[in-house]
Amino acid sequence: MEKEKNKVFFGKAKTKKFFLPEDKEQWIEHRKLTEGQRRNYEDQTSHRVAYNNATEVVEMDMSVGSDRKALFDIAVVGYNVWTEDDAGNESLKNGFETNDWSWIQERMDSDISQGLLEDIRDFNPWLVPTETKSKKK
């Protein structure tokens, strides 16, 4: 009789492909963040909050765009996309290279960026803003 295989909870990467609209050949792959990756992301995106008792004014530093970039940088692990440079030359970018990913990110259509952000949040539920989470009964 064959021994039952143990279920692995730690160290096993979980990834998901976000397919570009109307194209099942092009995708961006992202991962479910581990506790270490989550801590790294949260440390990168923590902001100062200050409350003035006398004036009852709360001040908070925010960098929404930089926070999104930090999330993309830590979550995205691969891609298979066609790109076009300034001279009109097309090339397939496949795999993952930091310089290519930075270039792709800077030129990504904002609708695709929003879709990728939502897909990463769906795959990492702790990223979904609290007020939009539905309560389980």
Side-chain angles (χ1 to χ4, degrees):
M1 186 172 192
E2 207 171 305
K3 183 182 172 193
E4 188 175 318
K5 205 171 181 186
N6 293 326
K7 185 167 183 168
V8 177
F9 288 96
F10 304 97
K12 187 174 183 179
K14 296 176 184 107
T15 63
K16 182 180 178 191
K17 288 182 180 171
F18 168 73
F19 290 92
L20 301 188
E22 301 175 26
D23 191 338
K24 296 298 178 192
E25 303 278 327
Q26 296 187 69
W27 44 262
I28 298 171
E29 186 174 19
H30 58 87
R31 63 180 158 201
K32 183 173 281 289
L33 300 183
T34 64
E35 174 56 24
Q37 292 159 343
R38 176 181 177 171
R39 184 176 51 251
N40 184 3
Y41 168 72
E42 289 175 334
D43 287 350
Q44 286 182 47
T45 59
S46 294
H47 301 290
R48 182 186 71 85
V49 177
Y51 178 72
N52 184 320
N53 286 331
T55 62
E56 296 185 353
V57 172
V58 176
E59 291 181 12
M60 183 173 166
D61 294 335
M62 294 186 71
S63 302
V64 178
S66 294
D67 291 355
R68 186 174 53 254
K69 181 181 181 337
L71 179 59
F72 287 172
D73 285 345
I74 205 160
V76 172
V77 294
Y79 44 77
N80 185 64
V81 296
W82 281 96
T83 64
E84 183 177 284
D85 65 18
D86 294 336
N89 301 310
E90 293 181 354
S91 64
L92 179 65
K93 302 289 184 188
N94 184 285
F96 187 87
E97 289 194 29
T98 304
N99 289 340
D100 285 342
W101 173 240
S102 292
W103 190 93
I104 291 166
Q105 224 181 132
E106 290 301 313
R107 289 154 184 84
M108 188 184 319
D109 183 87
S110 62
D111 292 340
I112 293 173
S113 174
Q114 184 63 35
L116 176 60
L117 176 64
E118 291 169 6
D119 205 54
I120 292 170
R121 283 180 174 165
D122 287 345
F123 201 46
N124 294 275
W126 60 271
L127 284 165
V128 178
T130 308
E131 55 277 358
T132 62
K133 287 183 184 175
S134 61
K135 294 184 179 180
K136 293 184 180 181
K137 295 178 183 179

